[in-house]
Amino acid sequence: MANFKELRIQNISQGVLAHTFIDEEPILKLTSPSLKVVHNFTQKSPLRATENTTISQALKLVSGDKSDYVLVTNEQQNLLGLVSSADLQSAKITIIAQRLGVKNNEVSLSDVMTPITDLAGVSMQSLSYSCIGDALQTMEHQGVMFLLVTTAHNEICGLISAREIARKLQIPLHITPIAQTFSDVIANVEHPH
């Protein structure tokens, strides 16, 4: 114990107990820092499932983890896309099953996911000097429900969910998906969001 020093002792005979402070979640506003709503994957691993996971399996994962989304990966853990919990429970599943000629429980995440090529990303650096309103404005303009967050080395390190922002701030969402392909246009006509 020669490497340590002794602390100064205080007289506590007249001491009173300190008050307990409840660590409440801070009230968020559109002007709060964007970083307050980032799901940081370096702090908590995101919910992942492989592309051939069925919708019913994914629903169990989402409800058990209380997550808004599932990241869809291949066997090598490369990110292929994303599926929202809302999509897992939507009429979109029935439409896709009919189109594929399979039963609803045979539809896989690869059939439903938004591919990584259609997802929007922002850098953690740009989020560090932005507010929640900026992130929401970006999602509205891009027609996306999620923003993937990247490091300076273009690694995906987090995600922002529009639904979570709306829930936490108790505000309505005004995001209209932007069709990327003709089949997206047909899907939106068959099943508007």
Side-chain angles (χ1 to χ4, degrees):
M1 299 294 287
N3 294 337
F4 302 99
K5 62 181 180 178
E6 188 174 338
L7 299 176
R8 193 174 113 216
I9 301 296
Q10 294 182 312
N11 179 354
I12 57 166
S13 61
Q14 302 298 316
V16 293
L17 290 174
H19 294 287
T20 303
F21 293 98
I22 298 171
D23 189 18
E24 293 181 9
E25 194 170 305
I27 296 173
L28 293 177
K29 301 180 273 188
L30 287 172
T31 55
S32 298
S34 291
L35 296 177
K36 298 275 186 191
V37 292
V38 172
H39 290 245
N40 192 326
F41 299 161
T42 63
Q43 295 172 350
K44 183 180 185 259
S45 187
L47 184 60
R48 300 175 201 197
T50 59
E51 59 193 315
N52 51 9
T53 302
T54 65
I55 299 306
S56 56
Q57 292 169 327
L59 275 169
K60 287 177 188 171
L61 290 172
V62 167
S63 63
D65 198 57
K66 296 183 174 95
S67 178
D68 277 349
Y69 59 91
V70 178
L71 297 181
V72 183
T73 62
N74 61 16
E75 297 296 330
Q76 294 76 34
Q77 293 300 308
N78 296 324
L79 183 62
L80 301 176
L82 181 144
V83 177
S84 72
S85 59
D87 280 347
L88 291 173
Q89 302 169 57
S90 73
K92 183 177 184 178
I93 303 300
T94 303
I95 293 166
I96 291 170
Q98 289 172 349
R99 193 175 293 143
L100 295 173
V102 298
K103 296 177 184 171
N104 283 15
N105 62 356
E106 295 173 348
V107 175
S108 68
L109 291 181
S110 63
D111 300 320
V112 181
M113 72 178 186
T114 301
I116 192 167
T117 54
D118 294 347
L119 294 169
V122 294
S123 72
M124 185 69 84
Q125 181 180 1
S126 66
L127 287 177
S128 68
Y129 56 83
S130 69
C131 65
I132 294 172
D134 297 333
L136 200 53
Q137 174 67 27
T138 303
M139 287 187 265
E140 286 179 5
H141 186 259
Q142 295 296 316
V144 296
M145 296 300 289
F146 298 96
L147 283 179
L148 293 174
V149 182
T150 61
T151 66
H153 303 292
N154 209 28
E155 296 172 320
I156 298 168
C157 64
L159 174 144
I160 297 177
S161 165
R163 280 190 185 87
E164 183 179 340
I165 291 172
R167 189 171 47 249
K168 285 185 174 181
L169 275 60
Q170 299 179 351
I171 59 172
L173 284 178
H174 303 290
I175 298 177
T176 305
I178 298 172
Q180 304 291 328
T181 64
F182 183 70
S183 61
D184 290 344
V185 173
I186 299 301
N188 285 335
V189 169
E190 292 174 357
H191 176 65
H193 290 276

